[in-house]
């Protein structure tokens, strides 16, 4: 299923979305197929094992979600091509530092004359509309998301955001804080509210707004969702699959401790840094 059925690709992504990255449980086809039950979901598997990726994309489509494959980088021509040929609705490209890297990534997603993607038939992406139906509109339908996660990316954001074909800029605060040296300067979690990160985020927001690019961000939980909605971020992650599982498991463990104490039973959790 393509990104746009009677709706533009940009309008579909320009809304509040739950992004569930393939962490541990996200690599399970069964879990991926059930994700749409949680609401409007885009599943983001990774492209490292093609046979696994193929099965995951089938499960995502069967469940009615959209798919955006996280490739290994802007130079991963084979990974980008294979993900799109398998039917992915878009790609998420990590570690972008310059406008030239952005252009290379975008070129791999577009058929000539806009890019350098190879045309091949038959393939899963063409199952619904055929060769001409898919290839003729793919350049307008495929979403290209670039991850903003380095100090160099922020430094070059004016040029990166202006590159034709950038649909979405996705802020990764953890890597950006690390790249900017904020983990050394601040105690956890104060780097996330530091003036340095705030200034970098504002530069990203300003350039995205100027170029009409969608803003995305990865968060753990919902405590800061309102803050980032106010800043213009409309593509929002609230954690990955393993985080969701551990959060719910932690809630159950807390309930069990309370019930055991109420019933005067000895039941104490095993020490863990995860729950």
């Amino acid at each position: 299923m393509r990104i746009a059925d009677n709706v533009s690709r940009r309008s579909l992504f320009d809304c509040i979305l739950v992004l569930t990255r393939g962490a541990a449980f996200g690599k399970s086809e069964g879990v991926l197929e059930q994700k749409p039950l949680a609401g409007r979901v885009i599943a983001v598997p990774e492209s490292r094992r093609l046979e696994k990726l193929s099965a995951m994309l089938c499960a995502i489509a069967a469940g009615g979600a959209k798919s955006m494959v996280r490739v290994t980088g802007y130079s991963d021509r084979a990974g980008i091509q294979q993900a799109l040929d398998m039917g992915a609705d878009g790609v998420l490209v990590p570690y972008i530092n310059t406008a030239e890297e952005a252009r290379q990534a975008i070129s791999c997603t577009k058929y000539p004359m806009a890019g350098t993607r190879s045309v091949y038939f038959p393939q899963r992406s063409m199952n619904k509309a055929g060769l001409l139906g898919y290839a003729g509109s793919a350049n307008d339908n495929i979403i290209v998301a670039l991850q903003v996660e380095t100090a160099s990316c922020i430094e070059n954001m004016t040029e990166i955001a202006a590159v034709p074909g950038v649909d979405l800029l996705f802020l990764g605060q953890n890597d950006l804080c690390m790249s900017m040296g904020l983990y050394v300067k601040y105690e956890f979690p104060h780097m996330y509210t530091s003036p340095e990160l705030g200034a970098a985020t504002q530069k990203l927001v300003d350039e995205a707004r100027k170029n009409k690019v969608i803003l995305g961000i990865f968060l753990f939980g919902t405590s800061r969702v309102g803050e980032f909605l106010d800043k213009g971020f409309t593509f929002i992650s609230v954690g990955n699959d393993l985080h969701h599982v551990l959060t719910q498991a932690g809630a159950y463990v807390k309930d069990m401790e309370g019930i055991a104490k109420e019933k005067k039973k000895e039941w104490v959790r095993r020490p863990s840094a995860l729950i």
Side-chain angles (χ1 to χ4, degrees):
M1 184 175 182
R2 302 314 313 148
I3 261 184
D5 286 328
N6 301 321
V7 63
S8 74
R9 58 174 182 160
R10 300 290 292 239
S11 65
L12 188 151
F13 276 74
D14 194 14
C15 56
I16 304 172
L17 293 166
V18 178
L19 171 66
T20 51
R21 287 187 58 189
F25 293 88
K27 297 189 188 309
S28 162
E29 292 85 353
V31 172
L32 286 168
E33 191 169 357
Q34 298 303 317
K35 283 176 177 176
L37 297 178
R40 298 191 70 176
V41 176
I42 290 183
V44 186
E46 296 188 353
S47 63
R48 295 174 186 174
R49 291 179 55 195
L50 292 180
E51 69 279 5
K52 191 71 171 176
L53 176 62
S54 179
M56 288 190 289
L57 289 174
C58 285
I60 293 166
K66 299 299 180 183
S67 57
M68 182 181 292
V69 174
R70 186 182 186 276
V71 297
T72 61
Y74 69 90
S75 61
D76 185 14
R77 173 174 296 278
I80 293 171
Q81 171 94 33
Q82 288 162 337
L84 296 178
D85 286 353
M86 286 181 185
D89 295 300
V91 291
L92 178 64
V93 187
Y95 213 75
I96 293 295
N97 290 285
T98 67
E100 179 55 33
E101 291 176 358
R103 280 189 284 268
Q104 287 188 48
I106 292 165
S107 176
C108 295
T109 71
K110 307 289 187 185
Y111 288 124
M113 302 287 286
T116 55
R117 180 182 173 189
S118 175
V119 181
Y120 176 76
F121 180 83
Q123 58 192 10
R124 184 184 301 145
S125 61
M126 298 180 179
N127 284 354
K128 183 177 180 181
L131 171 61
L132 297 181
Y134 173 80
S137 59
N139 286 357
D140 294 326
N141 286 339
I142 295 299
I143 285 286
V144 180
L146 308 180
Q147 290 187 239
V148 178
E149 51 190 352
T150 69
S152 296
C153 186
I154 294 296
E155 181 180 344
N156 297 314
M157 184 50 60
T158 300
E159 294 78 19
I160 291 171
V163 173
V166 176
D167 296 305
L168 193 154
L169 290 168
F170 189 79
L171 175 60
Q173 294 185 104
N174 292 337
D175 285 317
L176 182 56
C177 283
M178 189 71 75
S179 176
M180 294 174 66
L182 302 183
Y183 276 94
V184 176
K185 185 174 182 179
Y186 294 95
E187 291 186 4
F188 183 86
H190 300 298
M191 63 282 294
Y192 298 113
T193 53
S194 66
E196 294 93 336
L197 182 60
T201 301
Q202 190 58 53
K203 182 175 181 180
L204 167 62
V205 169
D206 291 343
E207 296 303 328
R209 184 178 294 124
K210 185 189 305 181
N211 292 281
K212 296 182 172 58
V213 174
I214 299 165
L215 284 167
I217 189 169
F218 184 89
L219 300 172
F220 278 111
T222 58
S223 61
R224 300 186 71 189
V225 166
E227 172 190 343
F228 282 97
L229 281 175
D230 287 342
K231 291 178 180 179
F233 289 79
T234 55
F235 186 83
I236 299 176
S237 162
V238 291
N240 59 34
D241 303 77
L242 185 55
H243 169 256
H244 298 320
V245 171
L246 291 173
T247 299
Q248 187 58 57
Y252 284 145
V253 168
K254 185 177 180 180
D255 288 346
M256 286 289 293
E257 288 178 323
I259 294 168
K261 184 177 181 180
E262 180 183 319
K263 299 297 182 181
K264 297 181 170 47
K265 302 291 184 180
E266 291 291 333
W267 195 91
V268 181
R269 74 174 74 185
R270 186 175 68 181
S272 170
L274 294 177
I275 299 179

